[in-house]
Amino acid sequence: MAVKTLIEGVREALAEEMERDERVWVLGEDVGRKGGVFLATEGLHGRFGEARVLDTPLAESAIVGVAIGAALNGLIPVAEIQFADFIHPAFDQIVSEAARIRYRSNGDWACPIVIRAPFGGGVHGGLYHSQSVEAFYAHVPGLKVVIPSTPADAKGLLKSAIRDPDPVMFFEHKKAYRLVKGEIPDGELLTPIGPAQVRREGASLTCVAWGLMVHHCLEAAEAVAADGISAEVIDLRTLRPLDTGTILRSVEKTGRALIVHEDNLTGGFGAEIAAVVAQDGFEHLDAPVTRVAAPDVPAMPFNHPQEEAFLPNPEKIAAAMRKLAVY
Amino acid sequence: MAVKTLIEGVREALAEEMERDERVWVLGEDVGRKGGVFLATEGLHGRFGEARVLDTPLAESAIVGVAIGAALNGLIPVAEIQFADFIHPAFDQIVSEAARIRYRSNGDWACPIVIRAPFGGGVHGGLYHSQSVEAFYAHVPGLKVVIPSTPADAKGLLKSAIRDPDPVMFFEHKKAYRLVKGEIPDGELLTPIGPAQVRREGASLTCVAWGLMVHHCLEAAEAVAADGISAEVIDLRTLRPLDTGTILRSVEKTGRALIVHEDNLTGGFGAEIAAVVAQDGFEHLDAPVTRVAAPDVPAMPFNHPQEEAFLPNPEKIAAAMRKLAVY
Amino acid sequence: MSEEELARAVAARQPRHTGLGLDAEKLQRMYRHMVLARALDRRMWVLNRQGRAPFVISGQGHEAAQVGAAAAMRPGIDWLAPYYRDLAFCIALGMTARDFMLGVFARACDPSSGGRQMPSHFGLRRARIITTSSVVATQVPHAAGIAYAAKARRLDEVVVACVGEGSTSKGDWHEALNFAAVHRLPFICIVQDNDYAISVPHRLQMGVETVAERARGYGMAGATVDGGDVLAVYEATRAAAARARAGEGPTLIDAKVARFTSHSSDDDQRRYRPREELEALLRRDPIERFRNYLMDEGLLSEAADEDLQLECTAEVDEAVTEAEAAHEPDPADLERHVFAEGS
Amino acid sequence: MSEEELARAVAARQPRHTGLGLDAEKLQRMYRHMVLARALDRRMWVLNRQGRAPFVISGQGHEAAQVGAAAAMRPGIDWLAPYYRDLAFCIALGMTARDFMLGVFARACDPSSGGRQMPSHFGLRRARIITTSSVVATQVPHAAGIAYAAKARRLDEVVVACVGEGSTSKGDWHEALNFAAVHRLPFICIVQDNDYAISVPHRLQMGVETVAERARGYGMAGATVDGGDVLAVYEATRAAAARARAGEGPTLIDAKVARFTSHSSDDDQRRYRPREELEALLRRDPIERFRNYLMDEGLLSEAADEDLQLECTAEVDEAVTEAEAAHEPDPADLERHVFAEGS
Ligand SMILES: Cc1ncc(C[n+]2csc(CCOP(=O)(O)OP(=O)(O)O)c2C)c(N)n1
Ligand SMILES: Cc1ncc(C[n+]2csc(CCOP(=O)(O)OP(=O)(O)O)c2C)c(N)n1
Ligand SMILES: [Mg+2]
Ligand SMILES: [Mg+2]
């Protein structure tokens, strides 16, 4: 058991799975000799060679499309999209193709691929190196959407994703890569895709988040504890399939739900969670289901003042918690 | 005043705007001599010539990208994507480019384009000629998303969209094209983008829908009227910006909200409406906010039995109304 | 006369197919595939007009290009990433008349999609014909990926991807060809150029006569062939497959063909194609052309041809009867196969 | 000696730039643009190391390609769809040192984006430099659209789009070139080929030596030029612009350049480029090369050059001081310009 960073969790998962199964194939821009722009694939090229750790041409649609084809012929591709902001050119290959290979062939063909992409802001990435894109994919039947918030989950969930028989979108918060440290148990670590995790128990309100926002929520929860507010914090970990059970059980206990995400408010995945709570948790609600999210502007600006203004942070979340608790 | 079909409304809007302003430029696959696969642009090629009614190469990303460029140099492009199912290859040009031209240039550049696409099913279109894609775009700041449900709105809203200074996504339900008839007032018709329309007044519950579903809801409302349930039916017309005022005023009156869409349930735009009602209408809710939508499978099958099973219809909606009314 | 001269003289007198190493039996099988495909294709239009098939899309006029290419492939070993006109291609690789008609009627046991997809959205696992969507050109990167896997796994497999000429305008087509060229993959892209993308004519689709001109720009081999000449297509594809298997990389083949029918049952090509053009088309029937060749070479008699026609008609009749009688998909199965079952 | 022979003899003795119709003043302006761009570029790295600029991305080594091309354009009439290395290009078209530094410091009055975008995401309305995103190649279809509008509106305008060689692998690049070729648009795509896409080498990016090979496949003119030779790039671009204005359609120019710096301040090219390669680079400085030419031609003296260097340094100092002192964007403006104001 050793304390590691989130990106180390990613790196260990890739290395172990490539070691275990020679069908596992890493591809993407700069994943080879450079080891990826965030060094998530560092060392793999030297260890497994160019054919299994491939620097692709600059073409996201082909990265996904070629991965799909390779999966049809026996490989297990793990594609890296350099920044989630650059996944859009591959939207069609992911939504029309990867997500539907099994369904449209009535189960004859399968598409066991993983698509990894760093997302999220607060790193002076500007409009195109900061986006959250999970809502687009969490709406697509046939995809699984996973977002780890701890080093252990980054490793355990990525290993499960690589072994999953269906396409998995795996989003990693780039600011959390080195900021978030935690213990990773030694030995085989396979964390199931699906179940959410209660990171903090509480009775006053239920806070649902994913990625870096989980840590902001925990910080906010500590801050409001002083005012006698006990916030339960749920780390969703998997957005699709959604663990409604864990969310609803918590709301049943607290009667109050706060959903936090870094993505824009309108049509963000928080809306789905709010809709589920509003429909299935109605009897238990003592206050309006509340969302804290980024404003509806096209991604966060590069300049520091506006980047700050854009991002949800522990202060904004704590304020929402206080408001909700006294409703 | 004459009774016309929805597609006639579209055609009249295009012809009138092209007549009015020579900067208006129609482009897309088969929009020329053929007049579009649904004949929405029928007659325009003969009337305005090939340069202004252009059959493009088979390349959706270029259709949108070229339209953006043309808008930067003084044209007002109205791009047709042959089926909404084929808009995905243009996702990046729409989301990263069109939606952000103004924001990223701090107001120096603008992108006045309209992107039209037929969506929706029930026409034996199978997995790739039936989809609803509005949720993807209604999540994107910088875009306006319009979906008319009547011939008059098809005309009035499309004309407004063409005159709008910003990019507008204009989705037309393909089954409604000829099925839905209605009067179109003579003379200039400019229907503002934004305001929703109450199609039927009612006191027992609020039903929110768009496109063909509006008509299914009205049918269902008639059906349940016999049981003494008076359903108010709101035709959203514009999904972004969302007319929360009209929705909340109605829920304040009825205390019950039912949202209906043809798109898959999870992460559909109904989730956003449910979230808004759950947060801002909380005090008035007497029952859970309820959604009727397609199941979470990747688009509707071609075969008739499964297509039927996939689609929301008046019966399913009426059943949900009855359940909600007696909650 | 030297040995060499003699050999050349013999070669000169020898029929084309012998020079290509094709024997009578193989030619007759190729001809049968074309005839059966045409019979199935014609019948599906009848079914459509009778209201028994809501949607049909056709390969009439493309048969020689498809069967010629298939003849250079090893069924069950080499892969096909098809498109919706590839009926004859699929027949040649082992799809049965019944398989096809089950798709036309969208029956539960349709091997392409269990009736979930429109007809002619081919897929047949046992024949290594991959599942395809309606979104054109998306299958070309898939084909490149299959080829990459074959190369990585040291499997002796060749992958053929088919698209129409309009689909070469798509970004995916470019990205896939570039990838295949960079890695010198065992990949062949056959463009079936029928001059139209629904109603959009060639001149508005690309600025060149033949898309094969693009091969050089990727660093791959390219060829333009008369897609109405089954032997010419066989020869070009065989050469491409040989290159692929020798590790010499991919090939782009532009096969010029004629689209006999409207784009699909939802289209009427008289709206945008001049009558003379449509009449000229009918003089380009690839099946008639092959029939004449076989007869000239004494490999087919009038009688044998009539028998074959009757045989194929009977096969189509039987396929229609069986397929129409087969079960429709069960609504209860709507939510199956979104994910692996029991996962 | 015949008239003709005489003319040829004269031409032979004539300096290159005279043959190209470039006078001393124009050459000196071009040289100044290169020197100023380099000085700004160098300074931004210093600012980055000092922690005063969080992110920088460079054009060092590309200056001749950019200034040579710009010299063949009419500022304010012709359009540029730039990419992030086009600092020298933008300077040559009228961006000031101050404009640029306002972007480096992400100040409110940065003319590219008001500090909303990363530095070097150029846009300058008054100079017809369009706004660009970080998503590579997306600006190429925009350029084709601008050119289509120019043609439709019968405006005498030429549109230049720049990308790196890696970006030619993107579908958008292909779709845009095809569209421009079909309509014979006044469009020029200049590929600045520096052998790398971040760390991905040319051999893994494409299967050809020069992407100009692709021009023929679209039906457009193509040329490969030494991007370190400002006059060669000027000549190629001038010819392309002449073709464009004569209605003869688009041109694809592949300019071979050297990337002196790491990809950006987030990269370290020593991780993936051999030392010898990096050392060889420095012998390919396009500015030094142009300086030598000017001196050989007697158009620049050591003294004049020193003055110019000092002048540019002063200009950079002033720009940095002014920009750093300028206001940061106001958080209250975060939600402005999502839509037209008052609409
Ligand atoms: C991405 C995409 N856009 C549009 C369509 C609609 N569509 C179906 S076939 C077709 C024309 C294809 O032309 P071509 O590639 O030449 O093939 P052909 O049908 O002529 O054999 C179009 C536009 C589609 N299926 N996919
Ligand atoms: C669509 C997309 N994918 C990935 C990136 C990340 N990225 C930025 S620059 C770059 C390399 C571009 O290489 P090239 O086109 O050769 O231009 P160069 O930087 O070498 O001048 C990459 C991969 C991006 N900006 N856009
Ligand atoms: Mg065609
Ligand atoms: Mg480069």
Side-chain angles (χ1 to χ4, degrees):
Chain A
M1 197 93 149
V3 173
K4 294 176 177 160
T5 61
L6 195 146
I7 198 162
E8 285 175 298
V10 171
R11 209 180 287 135
E12 284 186 11
L14 291 171
E16 285 180 18
E17 291 304 296
M18 290 190 80
E19 192 59 58
R20 179 187 63 84
D21 187 339
E22 68 171 19
R23 297 171 305 168
V24 177
W25 175 42
V26 169
L27 70 159
E29 295 154 9
D30 306 290
V31 298
R33 190 161 274 111
K34 181 175 166 72
V37 296
F38 292 98
L39 304 184
T41 57
E42 190 176 26
L44 299 181
H45 182 269
R47 188 163 155 199
F48 300 103
E50 182 171 290
R52 287 188 69 195
V53 187
L54 184 71
D55 278 329
T56 64
L58 208 177
E60 285 72 14
S61 190
I63 289 171
V64 174
V66 163
I68 292 169
L72 295 176
N73 197 12
L75 296 186
I76 299 172
V78 182
E80 174 174 301
I81 299 295
Q82 198 162 81
F83 286 83
D85 312 65
F86 307 135
I87 200 170
H88 298 333
F91 194 73
D92 185 53
Q93 281 288 346
I94 298 168
V95 174
S96 299
E97 303 303 313
R100 300 181 183 184
I101 294 279
R102 186 184 296 277
Y103 191 78
R104 78 184 184 210
S105 67
N106 204 32
D108 267 9
W109 297 91
C111 183
I113 67 173
V114 178
I115 299 174
R116 294 179 43 246
F119 80 103
V123 297
H124 294 296
L127 300 179
Y128 297 98
H129 295 78
S130 306
Q131 293 167 64
S132 299
V133 301
E134 68 274 9
F136 295 122
Y137 300 100
H139 175 49
V140 178
L143 296 179
K144 296 177 181 177
V145 179
V146 176
I147 302 181
S149 78
T150 69
D153 278 354
K155 178 175 182 179
L157 285 166
L158 181 53
K159 284 168 67 83
S160 296
I162 292 170
R163 300 187 193 189
D164 196 276
D166 290 296
V168 178
M169 307 298 295
F170 198 88
F171 296 118
E172 304 155 6
H173 198 291
K174 67 176 77 71
K175 187 168 186 177
Y177 269 150
R178 288 170 175 75
L179 191 70
V180 176
K181 298 184 183 60
E183 292 195 327
I184 298 184
D186 303 324
E188 190 64 291
L189 181 65
L190 287 166
T191 311
I193 291 173
Q197 172 92 56
V198 175
R199 294 284 177 205
R200 185 185 200 280
E201 304 242 339
S204 324
L205 62 86
T206 299
C207 186
V208 182
W210 52 91
L212 185 66
M213 290 301 121
V214 170
H215 301 280
H216 286 359
C217 290
L218 289 168
E219 212 177 309
E222 287 308 318
V224 299
D227 323 359
I229 301 168
S230 108
E232 180 147 303
V233 177
I234 297 176
D235 177 357
L236 216 45
R237 305 199 296 185
T238 298
L239 276 65
R240 185 175 194 116
L242 178 62
D243 182 356
T244 52
T246 298
I247 297 169
L248 292 168
R249 269 192 302 281
S250 178
V251 172
E252 188 170 336
K253 177 175 66 175
T254 64
R256 289 171 161 76
L258 178 71
I259 303 146
V260 179
H261 58 67
E262 193 178 309
D263 191 8
N264 308 101
L265 177 72
T266 300
F269 193 66
E272 178 60 30
I273 298 164
V276 167
V277 172
Q279 179 152 8
D280 303 331
F282 181 71
E283 285 302 325
H284 310 287
L285 283 174
D286 304 321
V289 179
T290 306
R291 290 181 290 168
V292 171
D296 285 328
V297 304
M300 75 192 75
F302 173 76
N303 71 82
H304 193 68
Q306 292 182 328
E307 183 181 64
E308 275 301 300
F310 179 95
L311 283 166
N313 58 34
E315 295 65 41
K316 295 176 187 175
I317 298 166
M321 286 176 168
R322 292 195 177 88
K323 189 152 165 266
L324 186 61
V326 300
Y327 181 88
Chain B
M1 198 90 148
V3 173
K4 294 175 176 163
T5 60
L6 195 146
I7 198 162
E8 285 175 296
V10 170
R11 209 181 285 135
E12 283 186 12
L14 292 170
E16 284 181 19
E17 292 304 295
M18 290 190 80
E19 192 58 59
R20 179 186 63 84
D21 187 339
E22 67 170 21
R23 296 171 305 168
V24 177
W25 174 43
V26 168
L27 70 158
E29 296 153 9
D30 306 291
V31 297
R33 188 159 277 113
K34 181 175 166 71
V37 296
F38 292 100
L39 304 183
T41 58
E42 189 176 26
L44 299 180
H45 182 271
R47 188 162 157 200
F48 300 103
E50 181 170 292
R52 286 188 68 196
V53 186
L54 184 71
D55 278 328
T56 63
L58 207 178
E60 285 72 15
S61 191
I63 290 172
V64 174
V66 163
I68 292 169
L72 294 176
N73 197 10
L75 296 185
I76 299 172
V78 182
E80 174 175 302
I81 299 296
Q82 197 160 82
F83 286 83
D85 311 67
F86 308 135
I87 201 170
H88 298 334
F91 193 74
D92 186 52
Q93 281 289 346
I94 298 169
V95 173
S96 299
E97 302 303 313
R100 301 182 181 185
I101 294 278
R102 187 184 295 277
Y103 191 77
R104 79 183 184 211
S105 66
N106 205 29
D108 267 9
W109 297 91
C111 184
I113 68 173
V114 178
I115 299 174
R116 296 179 43 247
F119 80 103
V123 298
H124 293 297
L127 301 179
Y128 296 98
H129 295 78
S130 308
Q131 292 167 67
S132 299
V133 301
E134 69 274 9
F136 294 122
Y137 300 99
H139 175 49
V140 178
L143 296 179
K144 295 178 181 176
V145 179
V146 177
I147 301 180
S149 78
T150 69
D153 278 355
K155 179 176 181 179
L157 286 166
L158 182 51
K159 282 168 69 80
S160 296
I162 291 169
R163 300 187 193 189
D164 195 277
D166 289 297
V168 179
M169 307 298 295
F170 197 89
F171 296 117
E172 304 155 6
H173 198 293
K174 68 176 76 70
K175 188 170 186 176
Y177 268 150
R178 287 170 175 77
L179 191 70
V180 176
K181 299 184 182 61
E183 292 194 328
I184 298 183
D186 303 324
E188 189 64 292
L189 182 64
L190 288 167
T191 311
I193 292 173
Q197 172 91 58
V198 175
R199 295 281 176 206
R200 185 184 199 280
E201 304 242 336
S204 325
L205 61 87
T206 298
C207 185
V208 181
W210 52 91
L212 185 66
M213 290 299 122
V214 171
H215 302 280
H216 285 0
C217 290
L218 289 168
E219 215 178 304
E222 288 309 318
V224 300
D227 324 0
I229 300 169
S230 108
E232 179 147 303
V233 177
I234 296 176
D235 177 357
L236 216 45
R237 304 199 296 184
T238 299
L239 275 65
R240 185 175 195 117
L242 178 63
D243 182 355
T244 53
T246 299
I247 297 168
L248 291 169
R249 270 192 302 280
S250 177
V251 171
E252 189 171 332
K253 177 174 68 176
T254 64
R256 291 172 160 73
L258 177 73
I259 302 146
V260 180
H261 58 66
E262 194 178 310
D263 191 8
N264 308 99
L265 176 72
T266 300
F269 194 65
E272 177 60 31
I273 298 166
V276 167
V277 171
Q279 179 152 7
D280 303 331
F282 181 73
E283 285 303 326
H284 309 288
L285 284 173
D286 304 322
V289 179
T290 306
R291 290 180 289 169
V292 172
D296 284 328
V297 304
M300 74 193 76
F302 174 76
N303 71 84
H304 193 66
Q306 292 181 328
E307 184 182 64
E308 276 300 300
F310 179 95
L311 281 166
N313 58 33
E315 295 64 41
K316 295 176 187 174
I317 297 166
M321 286 176 168
R322 293 197 176 88
K323 187 152 166 269
L324 186 59
V326 300
Y327 181 88
Chain C
M1 211 185 221
S2 80
E3 285 291 299
E4 214 181 38
E5 287 167 327
L6 180 67
R8 243 190 276 98
V10 174
R13 256 186 274 92
Q14 142 189 101
R16 277 177 73 207
H17 64 272
T18 319
L20 294 170
L22 291 169
D23 60 25
E25 195 217 326
K26 174 126 186 178
L27 291 180
Q28 282 148 1
R29 218 177 318 117
M30 288 165 69
Y31 180 62
R32 187 182 200 291
H33 291 147
M34 290 166 73
V35 171
L36 177 59
R38 178 67 61 88
L40 285 163
D41 200 306
R42 287 222 175 103
R43 181 66 58 87
M44 91 179 145
W45 283 91
V46 174
L47 294 168
N48 175 255
R49 279 191 296 274
Q50 295 171 335
R52 291 155 73 190
F55 174 85
V56 304
I57 187 160
S58 223
Q60 292 181 44
H62 290 226
E63 293 94 341
Q66 294 171 17
V67 171
M73 291 169 65
R74 298 161 298 172
I77 295 171
D78 297 329
W79 297 70
L80 175 66
Y83 87 125
Y84 47 83
R85 301 215 188 274
D86 283 337
L87 170 56
F89 212 137
C90 293
I91 293 291
L93 290 181
M95 181 174 278
T96 67
R98 182 171 174 284
D99 289 335
F100 175 67
M101 280 298 167
L102 285 166
V104 171
F105 288 104
R107 294 313 194 217
C109 50
D110 149 40
S112 294
S113 75
R116 286 175 169 185
Q117 292 221 71
M118 287 177 148
S120 300
H121 284 52
F122 303 108
L124 189 64
R125 180 148 194 123
R126 69 171 189 271
R128 290 200 162 172
I129 299 168
I130 68 168
T131 172
T132 42
S133 73
S134 303
V135 192
V136 303
T138 49
Q139 74 276 28
V140 191
H142 301 169
I146 294 168
Y148 186 90
K151 188 179 179 187
R153 297 173 58 200
R154 294 187 182 63
L155 304 171
D156 171 28
E157 299 172 352
V158 177
V159 188
V160 174
C162 288
V163 291
E165 88 289 348
S167 304
T168 64
S169 299
K170 288 269 298 161
D172 272 10
W173 183 83
H174 167 70
E175 295 189 6
L177 266 69
N178 184 54
F179 186 90
V182 166
H183 295 287
R184 309 188 65 68
L185 298 179
F187 166 99
I188 303 169
C189 180
I190 299 176
V191 177
Q192 298 178 36
D193 182 353
N194 58 16
D195 273 324
Y196 285 88
I198 301 186
S199 72
V200 182
H202 195 286
R203 74 174 170 86
L204 288 174
Q205 193 66 244
M206 64 183 79
V208 286
E209 275 305 306
T210 170
V211 75
E213 290 245 18
R214 294 188 184 160
R216 223 185 84 200
Y218 292 111
M220 61 172 71
T224 308
V225 295
D226 176 351
D229 178 348
V230 66
L231 296 182
V233 178
Y234 169 76
E235 186 171 15
T237 310
R238 192 185 60 165
R243 255 193 307 277
R245 298 174 64 184
E248 291 160 20
T251 304
L252 170 60
I253 297 174
D254 181 22
K256 301 296 191 186
V257 296
R259 190 188 82 194
F260 282 12
T261 66
S262 288
H263 172 73
S264 75
S265 51
D266 293 341
D267 180 42
D268 176 1
Q269 63 182 342
R270 289 166 308 183
R271 288 178 64 93
Y272 51 83
R273 293 180 84 168
R275 117 145 351 117
E276 319 69 61
E277 183 179 307
L278 290 171
E279 285 162 352
L281 272 188
L282 303 177
R283 288 190 292 277
R284 288 176 61 189
D285 186 347
I287 298 184
E288 203 175 294
R289 189 164 159 190
F290 193 31
R291 178 192 298 113
N292 295 338
Y293 177 86
L294 293 175
M295 288 183 170
D296 294 349
E297 296 294 335
L299 298 169
L300 182 72
S301 68
E302 285 292 354
D305 191 34
E306 266 168 35
D307 293 347
L308 178 64
Q309 301 289 349
L310 293 172
E311 204 181 297
C312 289
T313 310
E315 199 170 329
V316 173
D317 291 337
E318 192 188 342
V320 169
T321 314
E322 281 187 47
E324 200 162 21
H327 289 300
E328 283 201 306
D330 183 346
D333 291 339
L334 176 64
E335 303 196 29
R336 288 190 61 190
H337 301 305
V338 175
F339 291 118
E341 309 222 308
S343 89
Chain D
M1 209 185 221
S2 80
E3 285 290 300
E4 215 182 38
E5 287 167 329
L6 181 67
R8 240 189 279 100
V10 173
R13 255 186 276 91
Q14 194 183 51
R16 276 178 74 206
H17 64 271
T18 320
L20 294 170
L22 292 168
D23 61 23
E25 195 218 326
K26 174 124 185 175
L27 292 180
Q28 281 148 358
R29 221 179 313 117
M30 288 164 69
Y31 180 63
R32 186 183 200 291
H33 291 146
M34 291 165 73
V35 171
L36 177 60
R38 177 70 61 89
L40 284 162
D41 199 306
R42 285 223 175 99
R43 181 66 58 88
M44 87 178 148
W45 284 90
V46 174
L47 294 167
N48 174 256
R49 278 189 296 274
Q50 295 171 334
R52 291 156 73 188
F55 174 85
V56 304
I57 187 160
S58 220
Q60 293 181 44
H62 291 225
E63 293 95 343
Q66 295 171 17
V67 171
M73 291 169 66
R74 299 161 297 172
I77 295 172
D78 298 328
W79 298 70
L80 175 66
Y83 87 125
Y84 47 83
R85 301 215 187 273
D86 282 338
L87 170 55
F89 212 137
C90 293
I91 292 290
L93 291 179
M95 181 173 277
T96 67
R98 182 172 173 283
D99 288 334
F100 174 69
M101 280 299 168
L102 285 165
V104 170
F105 288 104
R107 294 314 193 217
C109 50
D110 150 39
S112 294
S113 75
R116 286 175 169 186
Q117 291 221 71
M118 287 178 148
S120 300
H121 284 53
F122 303 108
L124 190 65
R125 181 152 192 120
R126 69 172 190 270
R128 291 202 161 171
I129 299 169
I130 67 168
T131 172
T132 43
S133 72
S134 304
V135 194
V136 302
T138 50
Q139 74 277 28
V140 192
H142 301 169
I146 294 169
Y148 186 90
K151 189 179 177 186
R153 297 175 58 199
R154 294 187 184 61
L155 304 171
D156 170 29
E157 301 172 350
V158 177
V159 188
V160 173
C162 289
V163 292
E165 88 290 347
S167 303
T168 64
S169 300
K170 286 270 297 163
D172 272 11
W173 183 83
H174 167 70
E175 294 188 5
L177 265 72
N178 184 53
F179 186 90
V182 166
H183 295 287
R184 306 188 66 71
L185 300 179
F187 166 99
I188 303 169
C189 180
I190 300 177
V191 177
Q192 298 178 36
D193 182 352
N194 58 15
D195 272 325
Y196 285 87
I198 303 186
S199 72
V200 182
H202 196 286
R203 73 172 171 88
L204 286 174
Q205 193 65 244
M206 63 183 82
V208 286
E209 275 305 306
T210 169
V211 75
E213 290 244 19
R214 295 189 183 159
R216 224 184 84 197
Y218 292 112
M220 63 171 70
T224 308
V225 294
D226 175 351
D229 178 347
V230 67
L231 296 182
V233 178
Y234 169 77
E235 185 171 16
T237 311
R238 191 183 61 164
R243 256 193 307 276
R245 297 176 64 185
E248 290 160 20
T251 304
L252 170 59
I253 296 174
D254 180 24
K256 302 296 192 187
V257 297
R259 191 187 83 192
F260 282 12
T261 65
S262 288
H263 172 73
S264 75
S265 51
D266 293 340
D267 179 44
D268 177 359
Q269 62 182 344
R270 289 166 308 183
R271 289 178 62 93
Y272 51 82
R273 292 181 83 168
R275 123 147 343 119
E276 320 70 60
E277 183 180 306
L278 290 171
E279 284 163 352
L281 272 188
L282 303 177
R283 290 190 292 278
R284 289 176 58 188
D285 185 347
I287 299 186
E288 203 175 292
R289 189 163 158 190
F290 192 31
R291 179 193 295 113
N292 295 339
Y293 177 86
L294 293 175
M295 286 184 172
D296 294 348
E297 295 295 336
L299 298 169
L300 182 72
S301 67
E302 285 292 354
D305 190 35
E306 266 168 34
D307 292 348
L308 178 64
Q309 303 289 349
L310 292 172
E311 205 180 295
C312 289
T313 309
E315 199 169 329
V316 172
D317 291 337
E318 193 187 342
V320 168
T321 313
E322 282 188 45
E324 199 162 24
H327 290 299
E328 283 201 305
D330 183 345
D333 291 341
L334 175 66
E335 302 196 27
R336 289 192 60 189
H337 301 304
V338 175
F339 292 118
E341 309 221 307
S343 89

